[in-house]
Amino acid sequence: MLKRNMPVPGCSTDNDFARSFSKWLQSSCGGGKSPKQSDVSVNRALKFIKFCCDENGEGEEEVLNSPNLIDYALGSPQLLTKFVDSLKEKWCIGQSGQIAYVASISDLLDFRKFNRPPATVLENFAVFTEVYVKRAGKYLAKDMRSNWTTELGIETLESRRSWATLSEVQSVIPFHEERYKSVLEHCIISPSTVKTGDVTYATRFVTAYMFLKVKGCRPMTYRSNLANV
C-alpha cells in the first residue's frame, strides 16, 4: 500500500532573502527560471532551512536575516543527510520529489556562492556540501531507475494483472482509428479550422501506431522502450 505524502514544514517566502534568491534564479546566471519555477525552488530550499532551524532550535526569522546561519546549515553534511532521509521516511516524498529538493538545495548553495561568502565558507562548501549534494542526487537518480526497472518488469506487471500481450494492445487501435480518420479528413478539407487538440490526438495516434508496428514486434525492445517512457 502506498504511503500518502505528508506536507514538509516550510519557511515564509515573504522576506528579502527569499525575494533576492528568487530574483537570482530568474537571472541568466541563476538559470533563467520562470517566476513560477523560481518560487517553487525557493520554497523547497527554504524548507531545508526550516528543517535545520528546528533541528538546532533556532528561529527561522533570525536565520533568514543572517547569511552566516544559512551558510552554517548548508555547510553541514549531517543536516543535509538527515533532511534527505526525512523526505522519504518522515514525509513519504517520492523519489522524483526528493531529487527536486536536492536540486533546490543545490540552487541555494550556488546562490550563496554567488554572494561571495568568506573564503572559509567557500572551502567548506567545496569540501563537504557540494560533494554530498552531488552524491545524494546520483544515489536518488540511480535508485529511481532501479525501481522503474522493477516496477515495469514483466513479472511485476503480470503479478498485478497489468501486463497486456502485444495482440491485446494492438486491439485498441481500431477503437481510436475512426476519430483519427475524421481528423485527417478535416485537415485535408479545411486545415485552417483544425483544433489544436485534434492535431495532438492524431499525432499521438500515429506515434502509438508506429511504436506498436515497428517496436512492438520485438519484445525486448518493447519492454526497454516502456521503461524509458
Side-chain angles (χ1 to χ4, degrees):
M1 183 177 180
L2 294 175
K3 294 182 179 180
R4 185 178 180 182
N5 288 9
M6 302 293 290
V8 182
C11 287
S12 169
T13 56
D14 185 19
N15 53 72
D16 291 339
F17 179 83
R19 284 188 285 270
S20 178
F21 183 20
S22 180
K23 184 177 180 180
W24 179 79
L25 286 171
Q26 295 173 49
S27 69
S28 56
C29 291
K33 297 180 184 291
S34 69
K36 183 177 181 180
Q37 290 172 329
S38 65
D39 288 344
V40 169
S41 189
V42 169
N43 187 45
R44 286 179 178 144
L46 292 189
K47 287 182 178 182
F48 168 64
I49 298 300
K50 168 66 174 175
F51 175 84
C52 295
C53 291
D54 293 342
E55 287 292 306
N56 295 328
E58 297 169 337
E60 62 181 74
E61 185 175 348
E62 179 185 359
V63 171
L64 291 175
N65 288 325
S66 174
N68 290 337
L69 293 177
I70 292 176
D71 292 341
Y72 170 78
L74 284 171
S76 172
Q78 291 82 7
L79 287 173
L80 174 65
T81 301
K82 194 169 183 179
F83 176 73
V84 174
D85 288 343
S86 295
L87 289 173
K88 177 182 178 181
E89 298 169 2
K90 184 176 181 179
W91 297 303
C92 304
I93 302 298
Q95 289 166 320
S96 59
Q98 294 172 50
I99 291 173
Y101 272 97
V102 171
S104 294
I105 293 172
S106 181
D107 286 339
L108 178 58
L109 179 65
D110 290 341
F111 174 62
R112 287 302 304 137
K113 289 191 293 183
F114 176 80
N115 284 278
R116 301 174 64 184
T120 52
V121 173
L122 287 174
E123 182 180 356
N124 191 46
F125 285 169
V127 174
F128 294 107
T129 314
E130 291 179 359
V131 172
Y132 286 100
V133 166
K134 187 175 182 179
R135 287 175 67 90
K138 282 186 175 181
Y139 162 74
L140 291 170
K142 180 181 178 181
D143 194 40
M144 184 166 65
R145 288 193 298 270
S146 176
N147 284 345
W148 281 351
T149 301
T150 302
E151 291 297 313
L152 293 173
I154 294 177
E155 296 81 6
T156 302
L157 293 172
E158 284 182 336
S159 68
R160 297 176 180 173
R161 302 180 64 84
S162 299
W163 177 260
T165 64
L166 179 59
S167 60
E168 288 173 333
V169 175
Q170 288 176 329
S171 68
V172 177
I173 294 295
F175 178 81
H176 298 279
E177 190 173 3
E178 184 177 348
R179 181 181 172 186
Y180 168 74
K181 289 181 177 179
S182 175
V183 172
L184 183 61
E185 184 179 354
H186 191 173
C187 289
I188 295 173
I189 297 174
S190 181
S192 61
T193 62
V194 178
K195 296 179 180 178
T196 303
D198 287 339
V199 175
T200 301
Y201 181 89
T203 303
R204 289 176 175 173
F205 176 86
V206 172
T207 302
Y209 181 81
M210 293 302 296
F211 172 76
L212 292 172
K213 283 292 184 181
V214 178
K215 296 290 187 180
C217 61
R218 290 172 284 181
M220 291 307 294
T221 306
Y222 178 48
R223 181 183 175 187
S224 64
N225 274 275
L226 279 177
N228 290 324
V229 171

